[in-house]
């Protein structure tokens, strides 16, 4: 009946708005880790080196990580859409270069630096993990001026906030990651959805 027709229209618009507002490499810098460089994605490297013996002078240094809190929720796996809160510091001097309450992305799509692609996998929701990331799994010899110098080793304190279990959850997680301007635009889209739904009922 009319309710079923309205529901179909609403779902279609929801799916359309989700793709329209998906974070497209998010903002320039704390998008910093969101703009991965293709050369920084070696899949043949071991996942985890020695955390305590991590060397900033070894050119072959691997990614290293340590769980400070082991989560009990869903597991972050390749292909899953996740939200991660983080604080990034330079290992050379401990200076914070970025921090965020939560960014959302799909593991395996190359939207984040390789150190995140490898280091977030295996975490459970509620868990906290410290990543030590060598330059070749981060920003390499080019860095990300002016906040990340060339050849920088990075330290990230990460917390896995969520793992989406449905397309609807993915959409909601994306919305939470948006800047205020995009949220206003999304609110307008949902306002239009409500108006269309009302029109479907009354016509």
């Amino acid at each position: 009946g009319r309710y079923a027709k309205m529901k179909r229209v609403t779902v279609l618009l929801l799916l359309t708005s989700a793709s329209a507002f998906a974070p497209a490499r998010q903002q320039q810098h704390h998008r910093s880790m969101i703009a991965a460089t293709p050369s920084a994605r070696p899949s043949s490297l071991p996942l985890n080196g020695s955390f305590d013996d991590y060397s900033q002078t070894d050119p072959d240094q691997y990614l290293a990580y340590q769980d400070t809190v082991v989560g009990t929720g869903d597991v972050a796996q390749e292909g899953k859409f996740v939200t991660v809160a983080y604080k990034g510091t330079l290992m050379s001097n401990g200076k914070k270069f970025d921090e965020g309450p939560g960014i959302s992305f799909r593991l395996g799509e190359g939207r984040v630096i390789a150190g995140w692609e490898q280091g977030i996998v295996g975490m459970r929701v509620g868990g906290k993990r410290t990543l030590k990331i060598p330059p070749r799994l981060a920003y390499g010899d080019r860095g990300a001026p002016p906040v990340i110098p060339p050849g920088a080793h990075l330290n990230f304190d990460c917390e896995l906030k969520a793992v989406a279990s449905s397309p609807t959850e993915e959409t909601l997680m994306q919305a939470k990651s948006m800047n205020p301007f995009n949220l206003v635009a999304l609110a307008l889209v949902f306002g239009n959805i409500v108006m269309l739904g009302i029109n479907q009922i009354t016509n």
Side-chain angles (χ1 to χ4, degrees), residues 41-58:
R41 302 184 62 195
S43 59
S44 60
L45 293 177
L47 177 62
N48 190 23
S50 171
F51 190 85
D52 292 332
D53 296 330
Y54 187 97
S55 172
Q56 296 187 55
T57 59
D58 183 356

Side-chain angles (χ1 to χ4, degrees), residues 83-105:
T83 296
V84 179
Y86 65 95
K87 180 175 74 173
T89 57
L90 301 175
M91 291 184 65
S92 59
N93 57 16
K95 182 178 179 180
K96 182 176 73 174
F97 59 83
D98 198 12
E99 186 171 22
I103 59 168
S104 300
F105 59 95

Side-chain angles (χ1 to χ4, degrees), residues 125-140:
V125 172
K128 297 181 179 181
R129 177 175 289 181
T130 298
L131 307 178
K132 292 182 177 181
I133 304 177
R136 60 177 172 170
L137 297 180
Y139 301 100

Side-chain angles (χ1 to χ4, degrees), residues 2-171:
R2 288 181 178 177
Y3 177 76
K5 186 176 180 181
M6 180 196 73
K7 189 174 181 182
R8 287 196 298 272
V9 171
T10 302
V11 169
L12 176 61
L13 286 171
L14 279 170
L15 293 175
T16 302
S17 64
S19 62
F21 289 96
R25 296 211 182 246
Q26 293 176 26
Q27 303 150 12
Q28 189 75 38
H29 173 72
H30 82 248
R31 321 163 203 181
S32 49
M33 83 216 117
I34 298 233
T37 53
S39 61
R41 302 184 62 195
S43 59
S44 60
L45 293 177
L47 177 62
N48 190 23
S50 171
F51 190 85
D52 292 332
D53 296 330
Y54 187 97
S55 172
Q56 296 187 55
T57 59
D58 183 356
D60 296 322
Q61 175 64 54
Y62 300 132
L63 164 75
Y65 68 79
Q66 185 175 70
D67 288 318
T68 54
V69 175
V70 177
T72 57
D74 292 338
V75 181
Q77 300 173 326
E78 185 169 349
K80 291 289 188 178
F81 196 82
V82 301
T83 296
V84 179
Y86 65 95
K87 180 175 74 173
T89 57
L90 301 175
M91 291 184 65
S92 59
N93 57 16
K95 182 178 179 180
K96 182 176 73 174
F97 59 83
D98 198 12
E99 186 171 22
I103 59 168
S104 300
F105 59 95
R106 190 180 307 281
L107 283 167
E109 286 189 342
R111 293 176 64 86
V112 295
I113 58 174
W116 268 50
E117 287 279 12
Q118 297 181 16
I120 298 300
V121 170
M123 291 185 70
R124 288 183 174 273
V125 172
K128 297 181 179 181
R129 177 175 289 181
T130 298
L131 307 178
K132 292 182 177 181
I133 304 177
R136 60 177 172 170
L137 297 180
Y139 301 100
D141 294 333
R142 299 180 62 181
V147 291
I148 300 177
H153 293 252
L154 308 180
N155 186 98
F156 279 99
D157 293 317
C158 302
E159 179 180 359
L160 184 61
K161 306 291 286 186
V163 176
S165 58
S166 69
T168 301
E169 284 190 9
E170 289 184 16
T171 302

